[in-house]
Amino acid sequence: MAGSIPLVDLQAQYATIQQEIEQALQRVISTSQFIMGPDVAAFEAEFAAYCGAAHCVGVASGTAALELALRACRVGPGDEVITVAHTFIATAEAISAVGAKPVFVDIDPDTYNLDPSLLEQAITPRTRAIIPVHLYGQPADMPRILAVARAHDLFVIEDAAQAHGATWDGQRAGTLGDIACFSFYPGKNLGAYGDAGAVTTNRADLAEQVRLLRNHGRRDKYVHEVPGFGERIDTLQAAILRAKLPHLAAWTAARRRLAARYDQLLAGMGLILPQVAAAADPVWHLYVVRCPDRDALLAELNRRGIGAGVHYPLPLHLQPAYAHLGYRAGDLPVTERVAAECLSLPLYPEMSDAQQDQVVAALRELMLQTQPD
Ligand SMILES: *Cc1c(COP(=O)(O)O)cnc(C)c1O
């Protein structure tokens, strides 16, 4: 009897690194350096090197990273920021949190990332920044987005929360725009054991602003240069992330192998499989297929113990939280169609071929049932 298969399996990963994690926790606890300290500085240096970025600033979460990046770019009340509606709500919440207005553009029907051809028409005199999301681990088309941004003097803030190590033309997420935001939420490709995030950038001025803002606006203990925030990265989380970072390359390789295996095994079943832009090398935070009868397929997979999920069923422009922006169903047709049809299949580095075969077998059987011969 086949066992149940989760969407992600954090316990399976912990089992492979238990000693390193315990040593990292012990190191922090035994020195009682719970706030900032050497583990935070070391993690920032190591993650900056991993991305190939000049600077990394650890912060409390991916959401905090987005909010502080916007503040560092001096985005505030009265400003507009262009982003996508097919993403986790934190992308837009950060824009709202700084008092600016999210402006949603539609996505590319193949990659599900921001469609650069729609940017020009979304720009107004109030536009200050663009936040492309590297959704599911695939970088957005940054050269085209940057070209429009440069022509209109706009900041480009990468939402790289799902894209640790992903590349466009060989260059890593975190270095593709003016400033980038990472989440280390436990289920992300590099996950902490609680909330954590980081900002990376090649611009010293932006890094300096985020550094100041995350820690109550201070450089010195008792001198607060600006009213800031309590949004530091937790030191225990930084220590855990340091223990995990050396494994990230192998975990990404495992995800890529499983994604290629899904591509092969799912071909010809009637599902729309993920499309990758020629210049992109994704890190497969999620492996997302499409099928018109998504809800029935999801329910049946879940009934069989297969932890498929949906990212994301209700686009941001149609969320109650953004009703005041006045969008209507039909405004973002590609986004709405993908939201209705997308299905995330189980994928995590420790997944075995046998587990993946079980997911594929269930899909094959269910797709045969639903196909009108
Ligand atoms: C996870 C995620 C965030 C928010 O990160 P948190 O660490 O949970 O605050 C933002 N954007 C995207 C695309 C995400 O997937």
Side-chain angles (χ1 to χ4, degrees), residues 61-63 66 87-88 90-91 133 159 161-162 183-185 188 195-196 312:
S61 67
T63 308
L66 286 159
T87 177
F88 182 58
T91 314
V133 180
D159 184 339
Q162 304 186 357
S183 167
F184 306 118
Y185 184 85
K188 298 290 161 76
D195 280 307
Y312 300 87

Side-chain angles (χ1 to χ4, degrees), residues 6-147:
L7 186 66
V8 295
D9 190 343
L10 300 181
Q11 278 181 307
Q13 181 171 89
Y14 177 57
T16 69
I17 54 171
Q18 190 171 351
Q19 276 204 327
E20 293 145 84
I21 295 292
E22 280 165 10
Q23 279 168 13
L25 293 174
Q26 268 307 311
R27 184 174 67 239
V28 176
I29 295 167
S30 64
T31 58
S32 294
Q33 271 268 20
F34 295 119
I35 302 294
M36 304 299 279
D39 271 288
V40 168
F43 173 68
E44 290 174 341
E46 289 157 11
F47 193 68
Y50 175 82
C51 294
H55 311 276
C56 170
V57 183
V59 298
S61 67
T63 308
L66 286 159
E67 194 180 322
L68 296 177
L70 283 160
R71 290 188 193 280
C73 296
R74 317 245 182 237
V75 176
D79 294 336
E80 293 176 1
V81 178
I82 300 173
T83 189
V84 287
H86 187 59
T87 177
F88 182 58
I89 192 168
T91 314
E93 278 177 319
I95 299 168
S96 307
V98 306
K101 178 179 151 188
V103 173
F104 298 115
V105 295
D106 215 344
I107 53 173
D108 179 275
D110 293 326
T111 64
Y112 314 143
N113 279 325
L114 189 149
D115 182 345
S117 71
L118 302 174
L119 280 173
E120 284 285 353
Q121 65 200 72
I123 292 170
T124 76
R126 292 175 179 271
T127 309
R128 292 294 311 278
I130 304 169
I131 308 186
V133 180
H134 304 322
L135 200 71
Y136 308 149
Q138 170 163 210
D141 186 340
M142 295 298 288
R144 286 184 65 195
I145 294 167
L146 280 164

Side-chain angles (χ1 to χ4, degrees), residues 224-265:
H224 304 270
E225 299 180 20
V226 292
F229 302 86
E231 299 278 22
R232 299 173 295 236
I233 190 170
D234 181 87
T235 304
L236 282 171
Q237 301 304 339
I240 289 165
L241 290 165
R242 286 189 71 197
K244 292 183 76 172
L245 184 57
H247 297 280
L248 184 56
W251 290 334
T252 300
R255 286 177 185 275
R256 286 178 172 149
R257 190 188 73 84
L258 289 162
R261 203 162 173 271
Y262 264 141
D263 283 346
Q264 216 169 45
L265 297 173

Side-chain angles (χ1 to χ4, degrees), residues 4-9 12 254-255 258 346-352 355:
S4 67
I5 300 169
L7 186 66
V8 295
D9 190 343
R255 286 177 185 275
L258 289 162
L347 178 75
Y348 46 92
E350 298 75 19
M351 188 182 203
S352 68
Q355 288 174 314

